[in-house]
Structure formats: C-alpha cells, structure tokens
Amino acid sequence: MHTRILSLISTLFSISLTLTSCYHEIDLDKYRNESGKDLLTLNSIITPDSLIALSATKTFFFSDKHPESIPVEDLDINISMNGVNAGSLYYDPSKRLYMSDIKPKVDDVVEISTEYMGKTVYAKESVPRDVPIEDVSVRVKGPLTDEYGQRYYSFTYDITFLDNGEEENYYFFRFKESPSDPKAPWKSTILGTIDYSHNIVFQKLKDYMGDAAPSWLMWNPAGLPFSDEVINGNKYHLTVIEDVIERNISVEMKRDFNLFAINKAYFDYIIGNLMYVESTDETPTGMIDLGLADPIRTFTNIHNGIGIFGCYTLSEKRLDVLDMVSINQSMRDR
C-alpha cells in the first residue's frame, strides 16, 4: 500500500509538471478574434417611466486587464419612434451614458442605430403593454418548526393578473422587502426564504432551461422571468411562499410585488444570465449597469454589435402583510 501511494504521488507530481510546462507555452494572443475586437457594446433598458438612456462601450479580450468598462464617447446615435426620426442622443460625460429627452410610450416601436468601424449597429424593439396586478391575497400558517427546531411562519401570497391572449407575452416577477424607514429600521421584518416552485409558469421555465437550470432557481431572491405559454389569455394566480423565522417578525412586514411586462429579447437575455452568469442580483431596473463586455455565452439583440436593448412596463403593489393576517389567530387555529 505504501508503494502504491508513493507511485500515485509521483504520477500526480509528473502531471503537474507537465501542466505547468504547457501553461508557459500557451500564447493567448493567437486566440484573439479579429472580428470580435471591433464590436460595439450597446446596452439600454427603456420604460415609459424614464428618459431613454444608453451605454456604449468597447469589447475587450478576456485576458486583458479591464478594471472598468471603456466608454465610446464620439458616436452619433440616432433614434426613431414608430418609423419617424426623433433625432440623436446626446452624451452625458458625468453619467457616461447617451441620453434623450424622450420617454417612450406603450406599444411604441423604438429603433437605435449608429455607425461604428464601417458598420451600422442597430436594434429595434417594441415597448410592451403593462399588465396590472389586480389583487394580492395572503394566507399564513404557523408557527411551524423546521428541521433545526426554529419556529417560523409560512406566508402564501396569491398575485392575480390577466394575461393578454392576443399575443405572446413575457414577464419578470420580483417579490422583495420594501425599503425600511431609515429613522426606525427596527420596525421592518427582513425578507424570509422565498419559494416560487408552486407555479406552473416557473416549472415550465425550469423545463425550458433543462440541465442548465441552477439548483437555486426556485429560491432566487432577485426574481424570475416567465412566458404566457401555459396561461395564454387567462387570469392567473401566481403563488409565492415566504417562510419567516418567528423571532424576525417585527412591527411591520411591508412587501413589494413587481410584475414587469418585458419584450422577448429581454426575456431571452435574463434567461441567458440565469444559465451562464454566476451573479444574478441584477433585475430589470438595474440591468443597464450590467451589460455585456466580455463575449460571454448569453443573448444579444444588437445587430453588428453586442449587448441588450430591452423594454419593460411595470405594475406594482406594496402591502404591509401584518395588516392582512392575524398571527395570533393563526396560532389559535393550528
């Protein structure tokens, strides 16, 4: 046995020397993609609530040092609304963004285009209609006891909305703790463990992603996208379960329910990030800060370039859950 171990160590040591030798011989520069180095990266997420803003940056090779994105500041970026020229975006150096004084409206077809390295880089998308949250109901069970002996309450939320059956629709749902009062943060009940698995729309999402679906998909605190494939034209009750440790429940338990109606390109982009990007903390209102700089394996809808041109409308409700249920009553009923 002692001889076998020595033999194994010797073999592993030899392999490590071989790998070290190979490492020093690799010339990464020869793998640079000549067609990829001149790609322009455009990222913009537009919504009727905000002025149009767009970031334009250069791509870089994955082994290059890039502490921050490199903006392209001298572009003439044209914008058109419903086929009518609406002028050019202006560059704001303080924000490092190209800006417009235009706020798009629902159903507007927005196109951005510019010339870069002899090519026309462009994207064209339509702003989706908003889908209002009609109602949010809450049920509670508890106190229950988990496997570690901790007492907790299980809150079930049913979020009701009506899908538009005339077209394919895509959504992003986010459930989160409302911002606490900075003068009295102790009043707030911190977000518990979230479970999205009781929804057919999210089960279909998991099936669509297949083996690439992360194990934490149904518990992702940043929210999840879904399509109307299995609910087309129907009223749907989206269910979210939140388990909160009893000792964490405070005076208030305010929660935000956000239903984003998004364009298909944005839907594909978010799925790509869920499948291939480790950090998924970014949500629709923050995606413009993420963008695409490395040529990672994800979706882009920028023609002759790379990036994402996304559109969304938002319906939201904010509720204090403790105003809707009685914890003491639930304890008597268990």
Side-chain angles (χ1 to χ4, degrees):
M1 177 64 71
H2 180 69
T3 303
R4 267 190 201 169
I5 293 174
L6 287 178
S7 176
L8 177 59
I9 293 174
S10 176
T11 301
L12 292 174
F13 183 71
S14 298
I15 291 173
S16 67
L17 287 177
T18 303
L19 291 175
T20 303
S21 175
C22 290
Y23 172 79
H24 287 297
E25 292 175 0
I26 292 176
D27 179 12
L28 291 176
D29 282 339
K30 74 177 183 179
Y31 293 101
R32 291 178 183 269
N33 188 333
E34 290 298 317
S35 63
K37 72 175 183 177
D38 292 332
L39 284 175
L40 178 65
T41 304
L42 298 181
N43 289 292
S44 182
I45 306 300
I46 66 172
T47 173
D49 298 327
S50 303
L51 299 176
I52 294 174
L54 179 145
S55 70
T57 56
K58 297 179 181 180
T59 54
F60 43 75
F61 191 57
F62 77 95
S63 64
D64 292 342
K65 293 182 179 179
H66 43 81
E68 59 181 12
S69 298
I70 304 171
V72 182
E73 303 178 357
D74 57 351
L75 296 173
D76 180 14
I77 301 179
N78 185 73
I79 183 169
S80 68
M81 308 289 292
N82 304 310
V84 178
N85 187 3
S88 298
L89 304 180
Y90 64 90
Y91 187 72
D92 185 334
S94 64
K95 298 179 180 178
R96 306 178 84 182
L97 294 172
Y98 286 87
M99 305 291 297
S100 171
D101 295 327
I102 299 172
K103 285 186 178 180
K105 299 187 293 294
V106 169
D107 286 334
D108 274 350
V109 178
V110 184
E111 182 173 5
I112 52 172
S113 63
T114 188
E115 296 296 320
Y116 186 76
M117 295 292 182
K119 294 182 178 180
T120 301
V121 183
Y122 67 98
K124 184 178 181 180
E125 294 291 343
S126 177
V127 181
R129 303 176 196 173
D130 61 320
V131 178
I133 296 175
E134 296 183 357
D135 182 57
V136 177
S137 63
V138 186
R139 307 186 305 275
V140 63
K141 293 181 181 178
L144 309 171
T145 304
D146 65 16
E147 57 186 316
Y148 304 106
Q150 297 184 105
R151 287 156 59 94
Y152 70 95
Y153 284 90
S154 184
F155 297 87
T156 299
Y157 307 98
D158 289 315
I159 301 93
T160 303
F161 65 92
L162 178 63
D163 177 69
N164 179 7
E166 297 177 1
E167 57 195 20
E168 293 182 350
N169 295 292
Y170 301 89
Y171 301 97
F172 185 96
F173 179 77
R174 180 176 64 187
F175 168 75
K176 64 176 184 173
E177 176 187 348
S178 306
S180 60
D181 183 351
K183 296 182 179 179
W186 55 270
K187 289 184 178 181
S188 178
T189 298
I190 63 174
L191 194 68
T193 303
I194 303 171
D195 181 3
Y196 291 108
S197 64
H198 299 269
N199 298 275
I200 188 171
V201 292
F202 295 137
Q203 290 293 344
K204 292 293 291 185
L205 170 67
K206 186 177 181 181
D207 292 343
Y208 175 75
M209 295 170 70
D211 293 339
S215 59
W216 41 259
L217 182 68
M218 295 299 175
W219 297 270
N220 182 20
L224 290 176
F226 63 97
S227 75
D228 69 345
E229 178 185 356
V230 293
I231 61 170
N232 187 37
N234 293 318
K235 184 170 288 191
Y236 186 64
H237 304 283
L238 192 151
T239 301
V240 179
I241 296 178
E242 180 189 14
D243 292 338
V244 183
I245 300 299
E246 184 179 42
R247 65 175 178 272
N248 291 338
I249 297 178
S250 188
V251 179
E252 299 175 344
M253 189 171 163
K254 293 183 178 179
R255 297 293 184 256
D256 287 351
F257 303 83
N258 301 149
L259 182 63
F260 297 85
I262 61 178
N263 61 321
K264 186 178 187 305
Y266 201 4
F267 173 79
D268 291 334
Y269 175 75
I270 295 172
I271 287 181
N273 279 277
L274 284 172
M275 294 169 74
Y276 303 116
V277 180
E278 292 183 3
S279 174
T280 55
D281 292 336
E282 299 294 342
T283 51
T285 53
M287 277 291 188
I288 195 169
D289 297 324
L290 179 62
L292 297 175
D294 291 310
I296 60 176
R297 188 181 178 187
T298 190
F299 178 86
T300 176
N301 65 334
I302 306 296
H303 299 273
N304 295 323
I306 193 170
I308 181 66
F309 187 43
C311 311
Y312 76 85
T313 55
L314 171 63
S315 174
E316 56 187 336
K317 283 188 179 293
R318 175 172 294 178
L319 304 171
D320 188 339
V321 177
L322 298 184
D323 287 343
M324 303 177 67
V325 297
S326 172
I327 297 295
N328 292 332
Q329 183 63 46
S330 69
M331 293 177 65
R332 289 195 295 268
D333 290 345
R334 64 190 172 96

